[in-house]
Amino acid sequence: MFFFKIINNVRIISAKIINNCNSGHPGMPMGMADIFCIFWYKFYKINFNNFFNKDKIIISNGHGILIKYILLYYINIYNLKNIKRFRQINSKTPAHPEKTKIIDASTGPLGQGIGIGIGIGLKQKILKKFNNFYNIFNNKIWIICGDGCLMEGVSNECMSFCGNLNINNIIIIYDDNKISIDGKVFFYFNENIKYKFISLNWNVIGPINGHCYISIYNSLKKAKKSYFPTIIIFSTIIGFLSPDKSNTEFVHGSCFKKKEYLNILKNYFINFKYKKKIFYKNKIKYFLYYFYYFKKNFFELIRIINKIFYFNLINIYLLNNKYKNFSTRFISSKILEEFFILKEIIIGSADLTSSNLTKNKKVCSIKRNFFFNKYINYGVREFGMSLINYGLSIDSIGYNICSTFLVFMNYMYSAIRNISMSKISSIFLFTHDSFLIGQDGPSHQPIEQLHALRIIPRIYVFRPYNIIEIIICWYLSFKLKKNCSAIILSRQNFKNKTNYINIYNVYKGGYNLTINKKKIDLIIISTGSDLEFCIFCYNYFKKYFNIKIISIYCINLFNKQKKCYKNKILKNEKILILESSNEDFWYKYKSKFFFILNLKKFGKSSNENDLKKYFNFTKKFIIKLCLYIINL
């Protein structure tokens, strides 16, 4: 009787709140009320003050988040005003999950929550090395998903990865109501989910009647004891007990009319409110024991949580003289070798380890032993990798890096946007940064990717030229707290010798690479490997003209500098901007005589020299262009 009343109450509130705001998805909260309430009160380890050992709920079908808001109201976390302001501006109850201290992740488009949840589960497995007989890290990750989530290809990427590593703290609650916006899914989604998950090395429970309390309770209890990642298939009726719209697509994303709402009320007798106290688990004694018996691990854990890191600057400085005229991906790999002494760094690649140069002899790949290894072989799963990286980064413990080719960033774009929106610090490493990768052809030559990354809010896009810039890019990426970063590196070797450097100006994202005392004849602005052409022009013209070379390796960082500094750097009428991308952002620095040499078309499958001629990125052409601008 207890659960019957509270479940019905949740259904009525769902329908009423969605009707009040005249917008929402009542079908999922009404259909899953039985499952969610039993899970919430009997299985969910809830404690918002215990950061380490709290169960996580990731609602992948985020349009049904209202059910969680209602249950947060029942335990005094939210009040009635918060619920009534559902989908209103600046409310604590937005239409889809948005990450806060209470809401575990921003799931956004369908399917992404599965990858995020698996990333969180993997991080908890890795952090278990700090337990030492005390369960500081010992929780479950509960992922709620629907038919739409399993239709998305990224969910298959992530579930395959999870089953392969046996991340067994993952439990998926699958709301199998067989309805989506277009109607019954039978006509376009008719897979045998049970055998599909068995083939992916998952434990499968069900199908279970999603409206039978005893079956729900027993299946959840069984899932918690599983030695494998588990999915529970619950057969439910969308919009349960709505006489007009239940089990139809109409209840998925539209609110009820007045008559329909009254018909729902006839199915219930509601006069019930329940408040559950939050039982805070006292973990202080664990830390006292932990501190006494395992002092070294305790201080190491505190250092990692507070993001206090160290590395051998002397070794990195010596690299400056040892590695010149190499590709930036190679120089970066040598710097990463110094960083790998940090236990908290987790890095991985989507089957491009030998190309991204992200692994060395100091690190081992994570297999089913999560305790001492920190390199992740994601396989060919770029989208899944970026979502798992979201989950790894969500607790702000350590530094999480994933890598692939820049052109494959398109696969990851939605996840990068979601990470930026969630104010999470995460690092993306992209190599093969220009058309100069050559004969792989236009499908592998990035043209618009730099522009696509730079227009995302809250992301710092770094495209370094020499070892000093690369070191600072890594340092700044590690220091970011609420922003993610993308480090763009070259495949080809080029001349990137470090001459004059004002280290304080380098930190500003853009600085003068040359020493200029006379009147400036021309300013050339560029980034990354393209600066090789600019330095050549400077050396060619230095007897006749005074040319200033500006490296703006991070536009976002440079734009945040004071106006006086930016005017000092860019003060001139004649500016040439050179970059091997289709970037329109440079027009912000427009002056009286302003020229951009960039790419406006896709590449060709050819060798490096022919491609330079095709795009007019030859030294001869750039020299002629500089002379033309100077003589204007």
Side-chain angles (χ1 to χ4, degrees), residues 552-587:
I552 303 183
Y553 68 91
C554 182
I555 290 175
N556 319 60
L557 194 58
F558 181 71
N559 287 338
K560 292 190 177 213
Q561 304 308 313
K562 292 180 180 178
K563 193 174 181 180
C564 58
Y565 175 76
K566 289 190 281 187
N567 288 341
K568 182 181 177 182
I569 292 289
L570 300 173
K571 190 176 181 182
N572 192 269
E573 290 187 343
K574 296 178 180 179
I575 295 177
L576 169 63
I577 291 174
L578 187 150
E579 188 175 58
S580 54
S581 72
N582 185 12
E583 175 63 89
D584 291 330
F585 191 86
W586 294 115
Y587 286 101

Short mmCIF file of all heavy atoms in Angstrom, two decimals, residues 552-587:
data_model
loop_
_atom_site.label_atom_id
_atom_site.label_comp_id
_atom_site.label_asym_id
_atom_site.label_seq_id
_atom_site.Cartn_x
_atom_site.Cartn_y
_atom_site.Cartn_z
N ILE A 552 49.33 33.51 -32.39
CA ILE A 552 48.13 33.48 -31.53
C ILE A 552 47.70 32.01 -31.46
O ILE A 552 46.82 31.55 -32.17
CB ILE A 552 47.00 34.37 -32.08
CG1 ILE A 552 47.50 35.82 -32.24
CG2 ILE A 552 45.79 34.34 -31.15
CD1 ILE A 552 46.46 36.81 -32.70
N TYR A 553 48.39 31.27 -30.58
CA TYR A 553 48.17 29.83 -30.52
C TYR A 553 46.89 29.46 -29.79
O TYR A 553 46.42 28.32 -29.87
CB TYR A 553 49.37 29.14 -29.87
CG TYR A 553 49.56 29.44 -28.41
CD1 TYR A 553 48.98 28.65 -27.42
CD2 TYR A 553 50.32 30.53 -28.01
CE1 TYR A 553 49.15 28.94 -26.08
CE2 TYR A 553 50.50 30.82 -26.67
CZ TYR A 553 49.92 30.03 -25.71
OH TYR A 553 50.08 30.32 -24.38
N CYS A 554 46.30 30.43 -29.05
CA CYS A 554 44.99 30.21 -28.41
C CYS A 554 44.17 31.48 -28.51
O CYS A 554 44.37 32.44 -27.75
CB CYS A 554 45.17 29.79 -26.96
SG CYS A 554 43.59 29.44 -26.13
N ILE A 555 43.25 31.53 -29.48
CA ILE A 555 42.44 32.72 -29.72
C ILE A 555 41.60 33.06 -28.50
O ILE A 555 41.48 34.23 -28.10
CB ILE A 555 41.53 32.51 -30.96
CG1 ILE A 555 42.38 32.47 -32.22
CG2 ILE A 555 40.48 33.61 -31.07
CD1 ILE A 555 41.61 32.14 -33.48
N ASN A 556 41.00 32.04 -27.87
CA ASN A 556 40.13 32.27 -26.71
C ASN A 556 40.89 32.97 -25.59
O ASN A 556 40.37 33.88 -24.94
CB ASN A 556 39.57 30.95 -26.18
CG ASN A 556 39.14 30.00 -27.28
OD1 ASN A 556 39.96 29.60 -28.11
ND2 ASN A 556 37.88 29.64 -27.30
N LEU A 557 42.13 32.54 -25.35
CA LEU A 557 42.95 33.11 -24.29
C LEU A 557 43.39 34.52 -24.65
O LEU A 557 43.37 35.44 -23.81
CB LEU A 557 44.17 32.21 -24.06
CG LEU A 557 44.99 32.42 -22.79
CD1 LEU A 557 44.14 32.27 -21.54
CD2 LEU A 557 46.16 31.45 -22.76
N PHE A 558 43.79 34.72 -25.88
CA PHE A 558 44.24 36.04 -26.34
C PHE A 558 43.12 37.08 -26.24
O PHE A 558 43.35 38.22 -25.85
CB PHE A 558 44.75 35.94 -27.77
CG PHE A 558 45.26 37.25 -28.33
CD1 PHE A 558 46.44 37.80 -27.88
CD2 PHE A 558 44.54 37.91 -29.32
CE1 PHE A 558 46.91 39.00 -28.39
CE2 PHE A 558 45.00 39.11 -29.84
CZ PHE A 558 46.18 39.66 -29.38
N ASN A 559 41.90 36.67 -26.58
CA ASN A 559 40.77 37.61 -26.54
C ASN A 559 40.42 38.06 -25.13
O ASN A 559 39.74 39.07 -24.95
CB ASN A 559 39.54 36.98 -27.19
CG ASN A 559 39.67 36.91 -28.69
OD1 ASN A 559 40.44 37.64 -29.30
ND2 ASN A 559 38.95 35.99 -29.31
N LYS A 560 40.87 37.32 -24.11
CA LYS A 560 40.58 37.69 -22.72
C LYS A 560 41.60 38.68 -22.16
O LYS A 560 41.44 39.14 -21.02
CB LYS A 560 40.55 36.44 -21.84
CG LYS A 560 39.38 35.54 -22.17
CD LYS A 560 39.21 34.44 -21.15
CE LYS A 560 37.98 33.62 -21.52
NZ LYS A 560 37.25 33.09 -20.44
N GLN A 561 42.64 39.00 -22.93
CA GLN A 561 43.67 39.92 -22.44
C GLN A 561 43.16 41.36 -22.49
O GLN A 561 42.17 41.68 -23.14
CB GLN A 561 44.95 39.77 -23.27
CG GLN A 561 45.49 38.36 -23.31
CD GLN A 561 45.65 37.75 -21.93
OE1 GLN A 561 46.19 38.38 -21.01
NE2 GLN A 561 45.19 36.51 -21.77
N LYS A 562 43.88 42.23 -21.79
CA LYS A 562 43.50 43.64 -21.74
C LYS A 562 43.62 44.27 -23.12
O LYS A 562 44.47 43.88 -23.93
CB LYS A 562 44.37 44.38 -20.73
CG LYS A 562 44.12 43.96 -19.29
CD LYS A 562 45.00 44.73 -18.33
CE LYS A 562 44.74 44.30 -16.89
NZ LYS A 562 45.62 45.00 -15.93
N LYS A 563 42.80 45.27 -23.35
CA LYS A 563 42.75 45.92 -24.65
C LYS A 563 44.08 46.54 -25.03
O LYS A 563 44.50 46.51 -26.19
CB LYS A 563 41.63 46.98 -24.65
CG LYS A 563 41.27 47.48 -26.03
CD LYS A 563 40.08 48.42 -25.95
CE LYS A 563 39.68 48.91 -27.34
NZ LYS A 563 38.52 49.83 -27.28
N CYS A 564 44.78 47.11 -24.04
CA CYS A 564 46.05 47.77 -24.31
C CYS A 564 47.09 46.78 -24.82
O CYS A 564 47.89 47.09 -25.71
CB CYS A 564 46.55 48.50 -23.06
SG CYS A 564 46.79 47.43 -21.64
N TYR A 565 47.07 45.55 -24.28
CA TYR A 565 48.03 44.53 -24.73
C TYR A 565 47.70 44.10 -26.17
O TYR A 565 48.60 44.00 -27.02
CB TYR A 565 48.00 43.32 -23.79
CG TYR A 565 48.89 42.19 -24.26
CD1 TYR A 565 50.26 42.26 -24.12
CD2 TYR A 565 48.34 41.05 -24.88
CE1 TYR A 565 51.09 41.23 -24.56
CE2 TYR A 565 49.15 40.02 -25.33
CZ TYR A 565 50.53 40.11 -25.17
OH TYR A 565 51.33 39.11 -25.61
N LYS A 566 46.43 43.89 -26.46
CA LYS A 566 46.03 43.46 -27.80
C LYS A 566 46.34 44.55 -28.83
O LYS A 566 46.79 44.25 -29.94
CB LYS A 566 44.54 43.10 -27.82
CG LYS A 566 44.23 41.81 -27.07
CD LYS A 566 42.81 41.34 -27.28
CE LYS A 566 41.83 42.10 -26.43
NZ LYS A 566 40.47 41.55 -26.49
N ASN A 567 46.12 45.81 -28.46
CA ASN A 567 46.44 46.92 -29.38
C ASN A 567 47.94 47.02 -29.64
O ASN A 567 48.38 47.32 -30.74
CB ASN A 567 45.92 48.24 -28.80
CG ASN A 567 44.40 48.32 -28.87
OD1 ASN A 567 43.77 47.59 -29.63
ND2 ASN A 567 43.81 49.18 -28.07
N LYS A 568 48.72 46.76 -28.59
CA LYS A 568 50.18 46.82 -28.73
C LYS A 568 50.67 45.73 -29.67
O LYS A 568 51.57 45.95 -30.49
CB LYS A 568 50.81 46.65 -27.34
CG LYS A 568 52.32 46.75 -27.34
CD LYS A 568 52.87 46.54 -25.94
CE LYS A 568 54.41 46.56 -25.95
NZ LYS A 568 54.97 46.30 -24.60
N ILE A 569 50.08 44.56 -29.58
CA ILE A 569 50.48 43.43 -30.43
C ILE A 569 50.05 43.64 -31.87
O ILE A 569 50.80 43.38 -32.82
CB ILE A 569 49.88 42.12 -29.88
CG1 ILE A 569 50.50 41.74 -28.55
CG2 ILE A 569 50.02 40.97 -30.88
CD1 ILE A 569 51.93 41.27 -28.63
N LEU A 570 48.84 44.16 -32.08
CA LEU A 570 48.23 44.21 -33.42
C LEU A 570 48.21 45.60 -34.04
O LEU A 570 47.58 45.80 -35.07
CB LEU A 570 46.79 43.68 -33.35
CG LEU A 570 46.64 42.23 -32.87
CD1 LEU A 570 45.17 41.89 -32.68
CD2 LEU A 570 47.28 41.26 -33.83
N LYS A 571 48.90 46.57 -33.41
CA LYS A 571 48.83 47.95 -33.87
C LYS A 571 49.58 48.12 -35.20
O LYS A 571 50.79 48.29 -35.23
CB LYS A 571 49.41 48.89 -32.81
CG LYS A 571 49.16 50.36 -33.10
CD LYS A 571 49.67 51.23 -31.98
CE LYS A 571 49.39 52.69 -32.26
NZ LYS A 571 49.92 53.57 -31.20
N ASN A 572 48.87 48.05 -36.29
CA ASN A 572 49.43 48.27 -37.61
C ASN A 572 48.30 48.23 -38.62
O ASN A 572 47.28 47.58 -38.40
CB ASN A 572 50.48 47.19 -37.94
CG ASN A 572 51.29 47.54 -39.17
OD1 ASN A 572 50.93 47.17 -40.28
ND2 ASN A 572 52.36 48.28 -38.98
N GLU A 573 48.48 48.92 -39.74
CA GLU A 573 47.44 48.95 -40.76
C GLU A 573 47.48 47.73 -41.68
O GLU A 573 46.49 47.37 -42.28
CB GLU A 573 47.56 50.23 -41.60
CG GLU A 573 47.18 51.48 -40.82
CD GLU A 573 47.16 52.70 -41.72
OE1 GLU A 573 47.73 52.62 -42.82
OE2 GLU A 573 46.57 53.71 -41.33
N LYS A 574 48.66 47.12 -41.80
CA LYS A 574 48.82 46.03 -42.76
C LYS A 574 49.00 44.71 -42.02
O LYS A 574 49.99 44.50 -41.32
CB LYS A 574 50.02 46.30 -43.66
CG LYS A 574 49.83 47.55 -44.52
CD LYS A 574 51.04 47.83 -45.37
CE LYS A 574 50.83 49.09 -46.23
NZ LYS A 574 52.01 49.40 -47.06
N ILE A 575 48.01 43.84 -42.20
CA ILE A 575 48.02 42.54 -41.51
C ILE A 575 47.77 41.43 -42.52
O ILE A 575 46.84 41.49 -43.33
CB ILE A 575 46.95 42.49 -40.40
CG1 ILE A 575 47.28 43.50 -39.29
CG2 ILE A 575 46.83 41.09 -39.82
CD1 ILE A 575 46.23 43.56 -38.19
N LEU A 576 48.59 40.39 -42.45
CA LEU A 576 48.37 39.17 -43.21
C LEU A 576 48.17 38.03 -42.21
O LEU A 576 48.98 37.83 -41.30
CB LEU A 576 49.58 38.86 -44.10
CG LEU A 576 49.60 37.47 -44.76
CD1 LEU A 576 48.41 37.30 -45.72
CD2 LEU A 576 50.92 37.22 -45.48
N ILE A 577 47.06 37.30 -42.37
CA ILE A 577 46.79 36.15 -41.51
C ILE A 577 46.91 34.88 -42.35
O ILE A 577 46.33 34.79 -43.44
CB ILE A 577 45.41 36.24 -40.85
CG1 ILE A 577 45.42 37.39 -39.84
CG2 ILE A 577 45.03 34.94 -40.16
CD1 ILE A 577 44.09 37.70 -39.23
N LEU A 578 47.68 33.95 -41.85
CA LEU A 578 47.96 32.72 -42.59
C LEU A 578 47.64 31.52 -41.70
O LEU A 578 48.22 31.37 -40.63
CB LEU A 578 49.44 32.73 -43.00
CG LEU A 578 49.96 31.63 -43.93
CD1 LEU A 578 51.12 32.18 -44.76
CD2 LEU A 578 50.43 30.41 -43.16
N GLU A 579 46.67 30.70 -42.14
CA GLU A 579 46.35 29.50 -41.38
C GLU A 579 45.72 28.47 -42.31
O GLU A 579 44.86 28.80 -43.13
CB GLU A 579 45.40 29.80 -40.23
CG GLU A 579 45.20 28.59 -39.31
CD GLU A 579 44.35 28.90 -38.09
OE1 GLU A 579 43.20 29.34 -38.28
OE2 GLU A 579 44.84 28.70 -36.98
N SER A 580 46.12 27.22 -42.17
CA SER A 580 45.62 26.15 -43.03
C SER A 580 44.29 25.61 -42.50
O SER A 580 44.16 24.44 -42.14
CB SER A 580 46.65 25.02 -43.14
OG SER A 580 47.02 24.57 -41.86
N SER A 581 43.30 26.50 -42.44
CA SER A 581 41.95 26.12 -42.02
C SER A 581 40.95 27.08 -42.66
O SER A 581 41.33 28.13 -43.17
CB SER A 581 41.81 26.17 -40.49
OG SER A 581 41.80 27.52 -40.06
N ASN A 582 39.70 26.70 -42.59
CA ASN A 582 38.63 27.57 -43.11
C ASN A 582 38.07 28.38 -41.94
O ASN A 582 36.93 28.19 -41.52
CB ASN A 582 37.55 26.70 -43.77
CG ASN A 582 36.48 27.54 -44.43
OD1 ASN A 582 36.64 28.74 -44.60
ND2 ASN A 582 35.39 26.90 -44.81
N GLU A 583 38.87 29.27 -41.40
CA GLU A 583 38.54 30.00 -40.17
C GLU A 583 38.13 31.43 -40.48
O GLU A 583 38.89 32.20 -41.06
CB GLU A 583 39.77 29.98 -39.24
CG GLU A 583 39.61 30.79 -37.97
CD GLU A 583 38.53 30.26 -37.06
OE1 GLU A 583 38.80 29.40 -36.22
OE2 GLU A 583 37.37 30.74 -37.22
N ASP A 584 36.88 31.80 -40.11
CA ASP A 584 36.39 33.17 -40.33
C ASP A 584 36.58 34.06 -39.11
O ASP A 584 36.35 35.26 -39.18
CB ASP A 584 34.90 33.13 -40.70
CG ASP A 584 34.67 32.51 -42.06
OD1 ASP A 584 35.57 32.65 -42.92
OD2 ASP A 584 33.61 31.89 -42.27
N PHE A 585 36.97 33.46 -38.00
CA PHE A 585 37.09 34.23 -36.76
C PHE A 585 38.14 35.33 -36.86
O PHE A 585 38.07 36.34 -36.17
CB PHE A 585 37.45 33.29 -35.60
CG PHE A 585 37.33 33.92 -34.24
CD1 PHE A 585 36.11 33.95 -33.59
CD2 PHE A 585 38.42 34.50 -33.63
CE1 PHE A 585 35.99 34.53 -32.35
CE2 PHE A 585 38.32 35.09 -32.39
CZ PHE A 585 37.09 35.10 -31.74
N TRP A 586 39.11 35.14 -37.77
CA TRP A 586 40.20 36.12 -37.89
C TRP A 586 39.72 37.50 -38.31
O TRP A 586 40.42 38.50 -38.11
CB TRP A 586 41.24 35.61 -38.89
CG TRP A 586 41.96 34.38 -38.44
CD1 TRP A 586 41.90 33.16 -39.02
CD2 TRP A 586 42.86 34.25 -37.34
NE1 TRP A 586 42.71 32.26 -38.36
CE2 TRP A 586 43.31 32.91 -37.31
CE3 TRP A 586 43.33 35.14 -36.37
CZ2 TRP A 586 44.21 32.45 -36.36
CZ3 TRP A 586 44.23 34.67 -35.42
CH2 TRP A 586 44.65 33.34 -35.41
N TYR A 587 38.52 37.60 -38.90
CA TYR A 587 38.02 38.91 -39.34
C TYR A 587 37.80 39.86 -38.17
O TYR A 587 37.63 41.06 -38.36
CB TYR A 587 36.73 38.73 -40.13
CG TYR A 587 36.94 38.19 -41.52
CD1 TYR A 587 36.71 36.85 -41.81
CD2 TYR A 587 37.41 39.01 -42.54
CE1 TYR A 587 36.94 36.34 -43.09
CE2 TYR A 587 37.63 38.51 -43.83
CZ TYR A 587 37.39 37.18 -44.09
OH TYR A 587 37.63 36.69 -45.35
#
